Amino acid sequence: GAGVSQSPRYKVAKRGQDVALRCDPISGHVSLFWYQQALGQGPEFLTYFQNEAQLDKSGLPSDRFFAERPEGSVSTLKIQRTQQEDSAVYLCASSPGSSYGYTFGSGTRLTVV
Amino acid sequence: SQKIEQNSEALNIQEGKTATLTCNYTNYSPAYLQWYRQDPGRGPVFLLLIRENEKEKRKERLKVTFDTTLKQSLFHITASQPADSATYLCALDPYSGAGSYQLTFGKGTKLSVIP
């Protein structure tokens, strides 16, 4: 597609529930990033893929967070046993490589109740 | 510790004037710096990238400067219009040498252009 597509757009989860957030990057983009954005803050890095390889997961806040990109295109961010502090907008971005700007999706707004 | 600071949370200017937004950083040696625009409920949109060996970059009404000695970038919008109202984010692309090119973002400056 023309842009980065994320689904669902909104997700309400009960505390303790597992959620899966999907990202469909721009076709051919090697790099894929997940960011978390709290209200009034800038995006915070979670994890980075180069093709199917997860090269950096230093930003994942706990072992409840897991991301994958098995075929080097679509990526899924999974959060297990959601907590209220997980409520945020989760942004996915893709890029052709280093020294290029990122193309972001519109994000998934996760609310944990 | 490493820090990125954008000069103010909010900036109001009159239509037609030049808006100047500031991004300061400490304890980074970025290979390049990027500026993004974010509208409510949307993801950031890439505007400009400037490399450490470039002093200035322009695109239409936008101009970015990068001073690695002062550790500062300035972002200018000339002849501002109400449609320029948005949050502008500064982001560093630090050279880590470890194969990760993650961006680190500032909190953003919310610009309001008043007709």
Side-chain angles (χ1 to χ4, degrees), chain B residues 13-101:
Chain B
I13 64 162
Q14 207 69 36
E15 182 177 4
K17 300 292 186 187
T18 296
T20 298
L21 284 63
T22 305
C23 176
N24 295 296
Y25 59 92
T26 55
N27 296 324
Y28 283 106
S29 297
Y32 28 87
L33 187 147
Q34 302 185 23
W35 284 89
Y36 288 77
R37 168 186 173 136
Q38 188 171 25
D39 292 283
R42 312 293 295 177
V45 174
F46 171 72
L47 296 174
L48 282 166
L49 180 154
I50 186 165
R51 291 179 171 75
E52 60 181 335
N53 61 350
E54 297 176 316
K55 292 275 191 250
E56 182 179 298
K57 185 78 75 79
R58 291 177 185 259
K59 178 183 174 184
E60 297 171 356
R61 293 184 296 111
L62 308 180
K63 184 178 88 170
V64 172
T65 62
F66 192 13
D67 189 327
T68 55
T69 302
L70 290 179
K71 295 187 180 295
Q72 181 181 80
S73 176
L74 299 179
F75 177 80
H76 306 273
I77 305 175
T78 57
S80 59
Q81 304 165 1
D84 295 326
S85 299
T87 295
Y88 291 86
L89 297 161
C90 160
L92 290 180
D93 201 337
Y95 174 70
S96 70
S100 174
Y101 302 98

Coordinates of all heavy atoms in Angstrom, one line a residue, chain B residues 13-101:
Chain B
I13 N 1.9 32.1 17.3 CA 2.4 33.2 16.4 C 1.3 33.6 15.5 O 0.3 32.9 15.2 CB 3.6 32.8 15.6 CG1 3.3 31.7 14.6 CG2 4.8 32.4 16.5 CD1 4.3 31.6 13.5
Q14 N 1.4 34.8 15.0 CA 0.5 35.4 14.1 C 0.7 34.9 12.7 O 1.9 34.7 12.3 CB 0.7 37.0 14.1 CG -0.6 37.7 13.8 CD -1.6 37.7 14.8 OE1 -1.3 37.6 16.0 NE2 -2.9 37.6 14.4
E15 N -0.3 34.7 12.0 CA -0.2 34.3 10.6 C 0.7 35.2 9.8 O 0.6 36.4 9.9 CB -1.6 34.3 9.9 CG -1.7 33.8 8.5 CD -3.1 33.7 7.9 OE1 -4.1 34.1 8.7 OE2 -3.3 33.3 6.8
G16 N 1.5 34.6 8.9 CA 2.4 35.4 8.1 C 3.8 35.6 8.7 O 4.7 35.9 8.0
K17 N 3.9 35.4 10.0 CA 5.2 35.6 10.7 C 6.0 34.3 10.5 O 5.5 33.2 10.1 CB 5.0 35.9 12.2 CG 4.2 37.1 12.5 CD 5.0 38.4 12.1 CE 4.3 39.6 12.5 NZ 4.9 40.8 12.0
T18 N 7.3 34.4 10.9 CA 8.2 33.2 10.9 C 8.1 32.5 12.3 O 8.4 33.2 13.3 CB 9.6 33.6 10.5 OG1 9.6 34.1 9.2 CG2 10.5 32.4 10.6
A19 N 7.9 31.3 12.3 CA 7.9 30.5 13.5 C 9.3 29.9 13.6 O 9.8 29.3 12.7 CB 6.8 29.4 13.5
T20 N 9.9 29.9 14.8 CA 11.2 29.3 15.1 C 11.1 28.4 16.3 O 10.7 28.8 17.4 CB 12.3 30.4 15.3 OG1 12.4 31.2 14.2 CG2 13.6 29.8 15.6
L21 N 11.4 27.2 16.1 CA 11.3 26.1 17.1 C 12.8 25.7 17.4 O 13.6 25.5 16.4 CB 10.5 25.0 16.7 CG 8.9 25.1 16.7 CD1 8.5 26.2 15.7 CD2 8.3 23.8 16.4
T22 N 13.0 25.4 18.6 CA 14.4 25.1 19.0 C 14.5 23.6 19.6 O 13.6 23.2 20.3 CB 14.9 26.0 20.1 OG1 14.8 27.4 19.6 CG2 16.4 25.7 20.5
C23 N 15.5 23.0 19.2 CA 15.8 21.6 19.8 C 17.2 21.6 20.3 O 18.2 21.8 19.5 CB 15.6 20.6 18.6 SG 16.0 18.9 19.1
N24 N 17.4 21.3 21.6 CA 18.7 21.2 22.2 C 18.9 19.8 22.6 O 18.0 19.2 23.1 CB 18.9 22.2 23.3 CG 18.8 23.6 22.9 OD1 19.7 24.1 22.2 ND2 17.8 24.3 23.4
Y25 N 20.2 19.3 22.6 CA 20.5 18.0 23.0 C 21.8 18.0 23.8 O 22.6 18.8 23.7 CB 20.5 17.0 21.9 CG 21.5 17.3 20.8 CD1 22.8 16.8 20.9 CD2 21.2 18.1 19.7 CE1 23.8 17.1 19.9 CE2 22.2 18.4 18.8 CZ 23.4 17.9 18.9 OH 24.4 18.2 17.9
T26 N 21.8 17.0 24.7 CA 23.0 16.9 25.5 C 23.5 15.4 25.5 O 22.6 14.5 25.5 CB 22.8 17.3 27.0 OG1 21.7 16.6 27.5 CG2 22.5 18.8 27.1
N27 N 24.8 15.2 25.6 CA 25.3 13.9 25.6 C 25.0 13.0 24.5 O 24.8 11.7 24.6 CB 25.0 13.2 27.0 CG 25.6 14.0 28.2 OD1 26.7 14.5 28.1 ND2 24.8 14.0 29.2
Y28 N 24.7 13.6 23.3 CA 24.6 12.8 22.1 C 25.6 13.3 21.1 O 26.1 14.4 21.2 CB 23.2 13.0 21.4 CG 22.1 12.3 22.1 CD1 21.1 13.1 22.9 CD2 21.8 11.0 21.9 CE1 20.1 12.4 23.4 CE2 20.7 10.3 22.4 CZ 19.9 11.1 23.2 OH 18.8 10.4 23.8
S29 N 26.0 12.4 20.2 CA 26.8 12.8 19.0 C 26.0 12.3 17.8 O 26.4 11.3 17.1 CB 28.2 12.2 19.1 OG 28.9 12.7 20.2
P30 N 25.0 13.0 17.4 CA 24.1 12.5 16.4 C 24.7 12.5 15.0 O 25.4 13.5 14.7 CB 22.8 13.3 16.4 CG 23.3 14.6 17.0 CD 24.4 14.3 18.0
A31 N 24.5 11.5 14.2 CA 24.9 11.4 12.8 C 24.0 12.4 12.0 O 24.4 13.0 11.1 CB 24.9 10.0 12.3
Y32 N 22.7 12.4 12.4 CA 21.8 13.3 11.8 C 20.6 13.6 12.7 O 20.4 12.9 13.7 CB 21.3 12.9 10.4 CG 21.3 11.4 10.2 CD1 20.2 10.6 10.6 CD2 22.4 10.7 9.6 CE1 20.2 9.3 10.3 CE2 22.4 9.4 9.4 CZ 21.3 8.6 9.8 OH 21.3 7.3 9.6
L33 N 19.8 14.5 12.3 CA 18.7 15.0 13.1 C 17.5 15.1 12.2 O 17.7 15.6 11.0 CB 19.0 16.3 13.8 CG 18.1 16.9 14.8 CD1 18.9 17.6 15.9 CD2 17.1 17.9 14.2
Q34 N 16.3 14.8 12.7 CA 15.1 14.9 11.8 C 14.1 15.7 12.5 O 14.0 15.8 13.8 CB 14.6 13.4 11.6 CG 15.6 12.5 10.9 CD 15.0 11.2 10.5 OE1 13.8 11.0 10.4 NE2 15.9 10.2 10.4
W35 N 13.2 16.3 11.7 CA 12.0 17.0 12.2 C 10.8 16.4 11.6 O 10.7 16.0 10.4 CB 12.1 18.5 11.8 CG 13.0 19.2 12.7 CD1 14.4 19.4 12.5 CD2 12.7 19.9 13.9 NE1 14.9 20.2 13.5 CE2 13.9 20.5 14.4 CE3 11.6 20.1 14.6 CZ2 14.0 21.3 15.5 CZ3 11.6 20.9 15.8 CH2 12.8 21.5 16.2
Y36 N 9.8 16.2 12.5 CA 8.5 15.6 12.1 C 7.4 16.6 12.6 O 7.5 17.3 13.5 CB 8.3 14.3 12.9 CG 9.2 13.2 12.3 CD1 10.5 13.1 12.7 CD2 8.6 12.2 11.5 CE1 11.3 12.1 12.1 CE2 9.4 11.2 11.0 CZ 10.8 11.1 11.3 OH 11.5 10.1 10.8
R37 N 6.2 16.4 11.9 CA 5.0 17.1 12.2 C 4.0 16.0 12.7 O 3.9 15.0 12.0 CB 4.5 17.8 11.0 CG 3.0 18.4 11.2 CD 2.5 19.0 9.9 NE 1.1 19.3 10.1 CZ 0.5 20.4 9.7 NH1 1.2 21.3 9.1 NH2 -0.8 20.6 10.0
Q38 N 3.3 16.3 13.8 CA 2.2 15.4 14.2 C 0.9 16.2 14.5 O 0.9 17.1 15.2 CB 2.7 14.7 15.5 CG 1.7 13.5 15.9 CD 2.2 12.7 17.0 OE1 3.1 13.1 17.8 NE2 1.8 11.4 17.0
D39 N -0.1 15.7 13.8 CA -1.4 16.2 14.1 C -2.2 15.3 15.0 O -1.8 14.1 15.1 CB -2.2 16.3 12.7 CG -1.6 17.4 11.8 OD1 -1.9 18.6 12.1 OD2 -0.9 17.0 10.9
P40 N -3.2 15.9 15.8 CA -3.9 15.0 16.8 C -4.4 13.8 16.2 O -5.1 13.8 15.1 CB -5.0 16.0 17.2 CG -4.5 17.3 17.0 CD -3.6 17.3 15.7
G41 N -4.2 12.6 16.9 CA -4.7 11.4 16.4 C -4.0 10.7 15.2 O -4.5 9.8 14.7
R42 N -2.9 11.3 14.8 CA -2.2 10.8 13.7 C -0.7 10.5 14.1 O -0.2 10.9 15.1 CB -2.2 11.8 12.5 CG -3.5 12.5 12.2 CD -4.4 11.5 11.6 NE -3.9 11.0 10.3 CZ -4.6 10.0 9.6 NH1 -5.7 9.5 10.0 NH2 -4.1 9.6 8.4
G43 N -0.1 9.7 13.3 CA 1.3 9.4 13.5 C 2.2 10.6 13.0 O 1.7 11.4 12.2
P44 N 3.4 10.7 13.5 CA 4.3 11.8 13.0 C 4.5 11.6 11.5 O 4.6 10.5 10.9 CB 5.6 11.5 13.8 CG 5.2 10.7 15.0 CD 4.1 9.9 14.5
V45 N 4.7 12.8 10.8 CA 5.0 12.8 9.4 C 6.4 13.5 9.2 O 6.7 14.6 9.7 CB 4.0 13.7 8.6 CG1 4.4 13.8 7.2 CG2 2.6 13.0 8.7
F46 N 7.3 12.8 8.5 CA 8.6 13.2 8.3 C 8.6 14.5 7.4 O 7.9 14.6 6.4 CB 9.4 12.1 7.5 CG 10.8 12.6 7.1 CD1 11.8 12.8 8.0 CD2 11.0 12.8 5.7 CE1 13.0 13.2 7.5 CE2 12.2 13.1 5.3 CZ 13.3 13.4 6.2
L47 N 9.5 15.5 7.9 CA 9.6 16.7 7.2 C 11.0 16.9 6.6 O 11.1 17.1 5.4 CB 9.3 17.9 8.1 CG 7.9 18.0 8.7 CD1 7.8 19.1 9.7 CD2 6.9 18.2 7.6
L48 N 12.0 16.9 7.4 CA 13.4 17.2 7.0 C 14.4 16.3 7.8 O 14.2 16.1 8.9 CB 13.7 18.6 7.1 CG 13.2 19.6 6.1 CD1 13.3 21.0 6.6 CD2 13.9 19.5 4.8
L49 N 15.5 16.0 7.1 CA 16.6 15.4 7.7 C 17.8 16.2 7.4 O 18.0 16.6 6.3 CB 16.8 13.9 7.2 CG 17.9 13.1 7.7 CD1 17.6 11.6 7.6 CD2 19.3 13.3 7.0
I50 N 18.7 16.5 8.5 CA 19.9 17.2 8.3 C 21.0 16.4 8.9 O 20.9 15.9 10.0 CB 19.8 18.6 8.9 CG1 21.0 19.5 8.5 CG2 19.5 18.6 10.4 CD1 20.8 21.0 8.7
R51 N 22.1 16.3 8.1 CA 23.3 15.5 8.6 C 24.3 16.4 9.4 O 24.3 17.6 9.3 CB 24.0 14.9 7.4 CG 23.2 13.8 6.7 CD 23.9 13.2 5.5 NE 23.1 12.0 5.0 CZ 22.0 12.1 4.4 NH1 21.5 13.2 4.1 NH2 21.4 10.9 4.0
E52 N 25.1 15.7 10.1 CA 26.0 16.4 11.0 C 27.0 17.4 10.3 O 27.5 18.3 10.8 CB 26.8 15.4 11.9 CG 27.7 14.5 11.1 CD 28.4 13.5 12.0 OE1 28.6 13.8 13.2 OE2 28.7 12.4 11.6
N53 N 27.3 17.1 9.0 CA 28.2 17.9 8.2 C 27.4 19.0 7.4 O 28.1 19.7 6.6 CB 29.0 17.0 7.3 CG 28.2 16.2 6.3 OD1 27.0 16.2 6.4 ND2 28.9 15.6 5.4
E54 N 26.1 19.1 7.6 CA 25.3 20.1 6.9 C 25.0 21.2 7.9 O 24.6 20.9 9.1 CB 24.1 19.5 6.3 CG 24.4 18.4 5.3 CD 23.1 17.8 4.8 OE1 22.2 17.4 5.6 OE2 23.0 17.6 3.5
K55 N 25.1 22.4 7.5 CA 24.7 23.5 8.4 C 23.2 23.9 8.2 O 22.6 24.4 9.2 CB 25.5 24.8 8.0 CG 27.0 24.6 8.3 CD 27.3 25.0 9.8 CE 28.8 25.1 10.1 NZ 29.2 24.0 10.9
E56 N 22.7 23.7 7.1 CA 21.3 24.2 6.8 C 20.7 23.3 5.7 O 21.4 22.9 4.8 CB 21.4 25.7 6.3 CG 20.1 26.4 6.0 CD 20.3 27.8 5.6 OE1 20.9 28.6 6.4 OE2 20.0 28.1 4.4
K57 N 19.4 23.2 5.8 CA 18.6 22.4 4.8 C 17.3 23.2 4.6 O 16.7 23.6 5.6 CB 18.4 21.0 5.3 CG 17.7 20.1 4.3 CD 18.6 19.5 3.2 CE 19.6 18.5 3.6 NZ 19.1 17.1 3.7
R58 N 16.8 23.3 3.4 CA 15.6 24.0 3.1 C 14.6 23.1 2.3 O 15.1 22.3 1.5 CB 15.8 25.2 2.3 CG 16.5 26.3 3.1 CD 16.8 27.5 2.1 NE 17.6 28.5 2.8 CZ 17.1 29.7 3.3 NH1 15.8 29.9 3.3 NH2 17.9 30.5 3.9
K59 N 13.3 23.3 2.5 CA 12.3 22.6 1.8 C 11.1 23.6 1.8 O 10.4 23.7 2.8 CB 12.0 21.3 2.4 CG 10.9 20.5 1.6 CD 10.6 19.2 2.4 CE 9.4 18.5 1.8 NZ 9.0 17.3 2.6
E60 N 10.8 24.2 0.6 CA 9.7 25.1 0.5 C 9.8 26.2 1.6 O 10.8 26.9 1.7 CB 8.4 24.3 0.5 CG 8.3 23.4 -0.7 CD 7.1 22.4 -0.6 OE1 6.4 22.4 0.4 OE2 6.9 21.7 -1.6
R61 N 8.8 26.3 2.4 CA 8.8 27.3 3.5 C 9.5 26.9 4.8 O 9.6 27.6 5.8 CB 7.4 27.7 3.8 CG 6.6 28.4 2.7 CD 5.2 28.9 3.1 NE 4.3 27.8 3.5 CZ 3.9 27.5 4.7 NH1 4.3 28.2 5.7 NH2 3.1 26.4 4.9
L62 N 10.1 25.7 4.7 CA 10.8 25.2 5.9 C 12.3 25.3 5.8 O 12.9 25.2 4.7 CB 10.5 23.7 6.1 CG 9.0 23.3 6.1 CD1 8.9 21.8 6.3 CD2 8.2 24.0 7.1
K63 N 12.9 25.6 6.9 CA 14.4 25.7 7.0 C 14.9 25.1 8.3 O 14.3 25.4 9.4 CB 14.9 27.1 6.9 CG 16.4 27.2 6.8 CD 16.9 28.7 6.7 CE 17.1 29.4 8.0 NZ 17.7 30.7 7.8
V64 N 15.9 24.2 8.2 CA 16.4 23.6 9.4 C 17.9 24.0 9.5 O 18.6 23.9 8.5 CB 16.3 22.1 9.4 CG1 17.0 21.5 10.6 CG2 14.8 21.7 9.5
T65 N 18.4 24.3 10.7 CA 19.8 24.5 10.9 C 20.3 23.5 11.9 O 19.5 23.0 12.7 CB 20.2 25.9 11.3 OG1 19.6 26.2 12.6 CG2 19.7 26.9 10.3
F66 N 21.6 23.2 11.9 CA 22.2 22.2 12.8 C 23.5 22.6 13.2 O 24.4 22.8 12.4 CB 22.2 20.9 12.0 CG 22.5 19.6 12.8 CD1 22.4 19.6 14.2 CD2 22.8 18.4 12.2 CE1 22.7 18.5 15.0 CE2 23.1 17.3 13.0 CZ 23.0 17.3 14.3
D67 N 23.7 22.9 14.5 CA 25.0 23.4 15.0 C 25.5 22.4 16.0 O 25.0 22.3 17.2 CB 24.8 24.8 15.7 CG 26.1 25.4 16.1 OD1 27.0 24.7 16.5 OD2 26.2 26.7 16.0
T68 N 26.4 21.6 15.6 CA 26.9 20.5 16.5 C 27.8 21.0 17.6 O 28.0 20.3 18.6 CB 27.7 19.4 15.7 OG1 28.7 20.1 14.9 CG2 26.8 18.7 14.7
T69 N 28.3 22.2 17.5 CA 29.1 22.8 18.6 C 28.1 23.3 19.7 O 28.4 23.0 20.9 CB 29.9 24.0 18.1 OG1 30.7 23.6 17.0 CG2 30.7 24.6 19.2
L70 N 27.1 24.0 19.3 CA 26.0 24.4 20.3 C 25.1 23.2 20.7 O 24.4 23.4 21.7 CB 25.2 25.5 19.7 CG 25.9 26.9 19.5 CD1 24.9 27.9 18.9 CD2 26.4 27.4 20.8
K71 N 25.2 22.1 19.9 CA 24.3 21.0 20.2 C 22.8 21.5 20.1 O 22.0 21.3 21.0 CB 24.5 20.3 21.5 CG 25.9 19.7 21.6 CD 26.1 18.9 22.8 CE 27.4 18.2 22.9 NZ 27.6 17.2 21.9
Q72 N 22.5 22.1 18.9 CA 21.2 22.7 18.8 C 20.8 22.7 17.3 O 21.6 22.8 16.4 CB 21.3 24.2 19.2 CG 20.0 25.0 19.1 CD 20.1 26.4 19.5 OE1 20.6 27.3 18.8 NE2 19.7 26.7 20.8
S73 N 19.5 22.5 17.1 CA 18.9 22.6 15.8 C 17.7 23.6 15.9 O 17.0 23.6 16.9 CB 18.3 21.3 15.3 OG 17.7 21.4 14.1
L74 N 17.6 24.5 14.9 CA 16.5 25.4 14.8 C 15.7 25.0 13.6 O 16.2 24.7 12.5 CB 17.0 26.9 14.6 CG 17.9 27.4 15.8 CD1 18.3 28.8 15.4 CD2 17.1 27.4 17.1
F75 N 14.3 25.1 13.7 CA 13.4 24.8 12.7 C 12.5 26.0 12.5 O 11.9 26.5 13.4 CB 12.5 23.6 13.2 CG 11.4 23.2 12.2 CD1 11.7 22.4 11.1 CD2 10.1 23.6 12.5 CE1 10.7 22.0 10.3 CE2 9.1 23.2 11.6 CZ 9.4 22.4 10.5
H76 N 12.6 26.5 11.2 CA 11.8 27.7 10.9 C 10.7 27.4 9.9 O 11.0 26.7 8.9 CB 12.8 28.7 10.2 CG 14.0 29.1 11.0 ND1 14.1 30.0 12.0 CD2 15.3 28.5 11.0 CE1 15.3 30.1 12.5 NE2 16.0 29.2 11.9
I77 N 9.6 28.0 10.1 CA 8.5 28.0 9.1 C 8.3 29.5 8.7 O 7.8 30.3 9.6 CB 7.2 27.4 9.6 CG1 7.4 26.0 10.2 CG2 6.2 27.4 8.5 CD1 6.2 25.4 10.9
T78 N 8.5 29.8 7.5 CA 8.3 31.2 7.1 C 6.9 31.4 6.5 O 6.3 30.4 6.1 CB 9.3 31.6 6.0 OG1 9.2 30.7 4.9 CG2 10.8 31.6 6.5
A79 N 6.4 32.6 6.6 CA 5.1 32.9 6.1 C 4.1 31.9 6.6 O 3.3 31.3 5.9 CB 5.1 33.0 4.5
S80 N 4.0 31.8 7.9 CA 3.2 30.7 8.6 C 1.8 30.9 8.3 O 1.2 32.0 8.1 CB 3.5 30.7 10.1 OG 3.1 32.0 10.6
Q81 N 1.1 29.7 8.2 CA -0.4 29.7 7.9 C -1.1 28.9 9.0 O -0.5 28.0 9.6 CB -0.6 29.0 6.6 CG 0.2 29.6 5.4 CD 0.3 28.7 4.2 OE1 -0.3 27.6 4.2 NE2 0.9 29.2 3.2
P82 N -2.4 29.2 9.2 CA -3.1 28.4 10.2 C -3.0 26.9 10.0 O -2.9 26.1 10.9 CB -4.5 28.8 10.0 CG -4.4 30.2 9.6 CD -3.2 30.3 8.7
A83 N -2.8 26.4 8.7 CA -2.7 25.0 8.4 C -1.3 24.4 8.9 O -1.2 23.2 9.0 CB -2.8 24.8 6.9
D84 N -0.4 25.3 9.3 CA 0.8 24.8 9.9 C 0.7 24.5 11.4 O 1.6 23.9 12.0 CB 1.9 25.9 9.8 CG 2.3 26.2 8.3 OD1 2.3 25.3 7.5 OD2 2.6 27.4 8.0
S85 N -0.4 24.8 12.0 CA -0.7 24.5 13.4 C -0.6 23.0 13.6 O -1.4 22.2 13.0 CB -2.0 25.0 13.8 OG -2.1 26.4 13.7
A86 N 0.3 22.5 14.5 CA 0.5 21.1 14.7 C 1.6 21.0 15.8 O 2.1 22.0 16.3 CB 1.0 20.4 13.5
T87 N 1.9 19.8 16.2 CA 3.0 19.6 17.1 C 4.2 19.2 16.3 O 4.1 18.3 15.4 CB 2.7 18.5 18.2 OG1 1.6 18.9 19.0 CG2 3.9 18.2 19.0
Y88 N 5.3 19.8 16.5 CA 6.6 19.5 15.8 C 7.6 18.8 16.7 O 7.9 19.3 17.8 CB 7.1 20.8 15.2 CG 6.2 21.4 14.1 CD1 5.2 22.2 14.4 CD2 6.4 21.0 12.8 CE1 4.3 22.6 13.4 CE2 5.6 21.5 11.8 CZ 4.5 22.3 12.1 OH 3.7 22.7 11.1
L89 N 8.1 17.7 16.2 CA 8.9 16.8 17.0 C 10.3 16.9 16.4 O 10.5 16.7 15.2 CB 8.4 15.4 17.0 CG 7.1 15.2 17.6 CD1 6.5 13.8 17.1 CD2 7.2 15.1 19.1
C90 N 11.3 17.0 17.3 CA 12.7 16.9 16.9 C 13.1 15.4 17.2 O 12.7 14.9 18.3 CB 13.5 17.9 17.7 SG 15.2 17.6 17.9
A91 N 14.0 14.8 16.4 CA 14.4 13.5 16.7 C 15.8 13.3 16.3 O 16.3 13.8 15.2 CB 13.5 12.4 15.9
L92 N 16.6 12.6 17.2 CA 18.0 12.4 16.9 C 18.2 11.0 16.4 O 17.5 10.0 16.9 CB 18.8 12.5 18.2 CG 19.0 13.9 18.8 CD1 19.8 13.7 20.1 CD2 19.6 14.8 17.8
D93 N 19.1 10.8 15.5 CA 19.5 9.5 15.0 C 20.9 9.3 15.4 O 21.8 9.5 14.6 CB 19.3 9.5 13.4 CG 19.2 8.1 12.9 OD1 19.6 7.2 13.6 OD2 18.7 8.0 11.8
P94 N 21.1 8.9 16.6 CA 22.5 8.8 17.2 C 23.3 7.7 16.5 O 22.7 6.6 16.2 CB 22.3 8.5 18.6 CG 21.0 7.9 18.7 CD 20.2 8.5 17.7
Y95 N 24.5 8.0 16.2 CA 25.4 6.9 15.6 C 25.8 6.0 16.7 O 26.5 6.3 17.6 CB 26.6 7.6 15.0 CG 27.6 6.5 14.5 CD1 27.3 5.8 13.3 CD2 28.8 6.3 15.1 CE1 28.2 4.8 12.9 CE2 29.7 5.4 14.7 CZ 29.4 4.6 13.5 OH 30.2 3.7 13.1
S96 N 25.2 4.8 16.6 CA 25.5 3.8 17.7 C 26.6 2.9 17.2 O 27.3 2.3 18.0 CB 24.3 3.1 18.1 OG 23.9 2.2 17.1
G97 N 26.7 2.7 15.9 CA 27.6 1.7 15.4 C 27.3 0.3 15.6 O 28.0 -0.6 15.3
A98 N 26.1 0.1 16.2 CA 25.7 -1.3 16.6 C 24.6 -1.9 15.7 O 24.1 -2.9 16.0 CB 25.2 -1.3 18.0
G99 N 24.4 -1.2 14.6 CA 23.4 -1.7 13.6 C 22.0 -1.3 13.9 O 21.1 -1.7 13.2
S100 N 21.7 -0.5 14.9 CA 20.4 0.0 15.2 C 20.3 1.5 14.9 O 21.2 2.2 15.3 CB 20.0 -0.3 16.7 OG 18.8 0.3 17.0
Y101 N 19.3 1.9 14.2 CA 19.2 3.3 13.9 C 18.0 3.9 14.5 O 17.3 4.7 13.8 CB 19.2 3.4 12.3 CG 20.4 2.8 11.7 CD1 20.4 1.5 11.2 CD2 21.6 3.5 11.7 CE1 21.6 0.9 10.7 CE2 22.8 2.9 11.2 CZ 22.8 1.6 10.7 OH 23.9 1.1 10.2

